[in-house]
């Protein structure tokens, strides 16, 4: 017996059209905020001389990871500059920072909400599973529909793809706070907000930072994919190299992405290690 096909595609497209027709002003507002943030960061990163940006990153790497990390940061960023990919790399960094900042601003409160309510955790867990297992390219379709081509849909799709680790690990970090400490805070008459900000969040910071680290890495991988819908940066060079069969250009662009990814990953890992030592 052949069962009739569920018209899932038609339902999704109907919802998409309804949102496009009724929430246009909201999407325009979101586009303005995200576009302004990306452009602002891009202007700063590309407006300053490359050596100044390199020096700032080297100082930060020295402070967090001592001389080995500082040396790798200096050599890696000088290689990017030598390859002529400094401008695109700073564009990619602006996209990643924007996506990561918005993911943290949205993800940490949701993670706190899930930690404080088992019902909210049961609601968000399947949503997060869906977001993490859906092929990344699928996110490009609605992003383009609502925000047209450019950097904004690239950031939106990156946020959807990268936000689950921040939510999950914020929830996990707060739930792992020892119960006896929570009971002691209750015994001393702490309010829920005092207990959250003075006990649970400080202890959960290392776990939350680990989630932020994963979010940054996923954002970087997604903004490269988002070059297919007009997002600027090194991903545009990778996409162009693939379509034109230029292996050398693709390798150079890929190397720049690898260097940027390692630097961001190591810096955030060092922050995690510092917060673990202080907690």
């Amino acid at each position: 017996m052949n069962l009739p096909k569920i018209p899932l595609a038609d339902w999704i497209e109907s919802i998409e059209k309804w949102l496009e027709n009724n929430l246009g002003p909201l999407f325009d507002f979101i586009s303005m905020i995200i576009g302004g943030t990306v452009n602002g960061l891009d202007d700063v990163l590309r407006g300053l001389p490359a050596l100044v940006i390199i020096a700032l990153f080297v100082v930060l790497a020295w402070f967090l990871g001592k001389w080995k990390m500082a040396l790798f940061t200096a050599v890696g960023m000088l290689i990017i500059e030598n390859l002529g990919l400094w401008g695109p790399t700073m564009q990619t960094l602006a996209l990643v920072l924007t996506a990561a900042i918005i993911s943290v601003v949205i993800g940490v409160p949701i993670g706190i909400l899930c930690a404080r309510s088992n019902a909210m955790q049961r609601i968000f867990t399947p949503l997060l599973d869906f977001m993490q297992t859906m092929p990344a390219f699928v996110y490009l379709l609605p992003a383009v529909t609502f925000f047209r081509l450019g950097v904004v849909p690239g950031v939106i799709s990156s946020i959807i793809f990268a936000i689950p680790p921040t939510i999950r690990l914020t929830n996990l970090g707060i739930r792992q706070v020892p119960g006896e400490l929570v009971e002691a805070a209750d015994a001393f008459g702490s309010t829920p907000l005092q207990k959250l900000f003075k006990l649970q969040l400080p202890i959960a910071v290392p776990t939350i930072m680990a989630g932020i680290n994963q979010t940054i890495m996923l954002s970087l991988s997604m903004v490269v994919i988002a070059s297919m819908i007009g997002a600027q940066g090194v991903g545009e060079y990778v996409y162009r190299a693939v379509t034109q069969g230029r292996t050398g250009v693709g390798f150079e662009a890929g190397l720049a992405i690898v260097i940027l990814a390692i630097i961001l990953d190591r810096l955030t890992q060092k922050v995690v290690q510092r917060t673990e030592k202080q907690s």
Side-chain angles (χ1 to χ4, degrees), residues 2-233:
N2 294 325
L3 296 176
K5 179 185 176 183
I6 299 174
L8 182 59
D10 294 335
W11 294 345
I12 296 297
E13 291 176 4
S14 297
I15 294 173
E16 184 182 68
K17 289 179 181 178
W18 186 90
L19 292 173
E20 188 177 5
N21 294 331
N22 293 275
L23 298 182
L26 175 62
F27 295 138
D28 291 338
F29 176 75
I30 294 173
S31 180
M32 180 184 67
I33 296 298
I34 293 177
T37 304
V38 173
N39 292 333
L41 288 172
D42 187 30
D43 290 341
V44 171
L45 292 172
R46 292 202 294 165
L48 293 174
L51 291 179
V52 172
I53 299 294
I54 293 173
L56 291 174
F57 268 89
V58 170
V59 170
L60 180 61
W62 180 278
F63 175 74
L64 293 174
K66 303 306 179 184
W67 70 270
K68 291 182 179 180
M69 185 63 209
L71 178 62
F72 176 84
T73 301
V75 172
M77 299 190 85
L78 286 172
I79 290 174
I80 294 175
E81 167 67 11
N82 179 262
L83 294 174
L85 294 172
W86 182 261
T89 302
M90 293 301 101
Q91 288 179 320
T92 296
L93 181 58
L95 291 168
V96 171
L97 290 178
T98 301
I101 290 170
I102 296 175
S103 296
V104 171
V105 169
I106 297 174
V108 170
I110 294 177
I112 293 172
L113 186 63
C114 291
R116 298 174 70 87
S117 170
N118 291 330
M120 295 305 299
Q121 179 179 244
R122 286 193 293 269
I123 291 172
F124 275 97
T125 296
L127 291 176
L128 296 175
D129 293 339
F130 178 86
M131 291 165 66
Q132 288 188 292
T133 54
M134 176 66 70
F137 288 94
V138 176
Y139 294 129
L140 303 180
L141 300 175
V144 170
T145 300
F146 298 137
F147 301 100
R148 296 177 291 276
L149 297 176
V151 298
V152 174
V155 172
I156 293 292
S157 57
S158 299
I159 293 170
I160 297 172
F161 184 68
I163 198 173
T166 295
I167 297 175
R168 288 185 185 277
L169 290 179
T170 299
N171 176 31
L172 178 64
I174 293 176
R175 286 179 177 271
Q176 285 182 334
V177 174
E180 56 270 20
L181 295 180
V182 177
E183 292 175 0
D186 290 333
F188 282 103
S190 299
T191 65
L193 285 180
Q194 288 175 331
K195 186 167 59 178
L196 175 65
F197 286 102
K198 294 185 178 181
L199 173 65
Q200 294 171 314
L201 282 180
I203 294 177
V205 162
T207 305
I208 295 173
M209 287 302 303
I212 293 173
N213 170 269
Q214 293 182 29
T215 290
I216 292 174
M217 293 298 100
L218 290 173
S219 298
L220 182 56
S221 66
M222 191 62 193
V223 297
V224 175
I225 296 174
S227 63
M228 298 176 61
I229 57 174
Q232 301 171 348

Side-chain angles (χ1 to χ4, degrees), residues 76-89 92 224 233-242 245-261:
M77 299 190 85
L78 286 172
I79 290 174
I80 294 175
E81 167 67 11
N82 179 262
L83 294 174
L85 294 172
W86 182 261
T89 302
T92 296
V224 175
V234 186
E236 182 180 357
Y237 285 71
V238 175
Y239 179 63
R240 191 185 309 162
V242 170
R246 303 180 65 185
T247 305
V249 173
F251 183 83
E252 289 182 348
L255 179 61
I257 293 172
V258 169
I259 292 172
L260 180 61

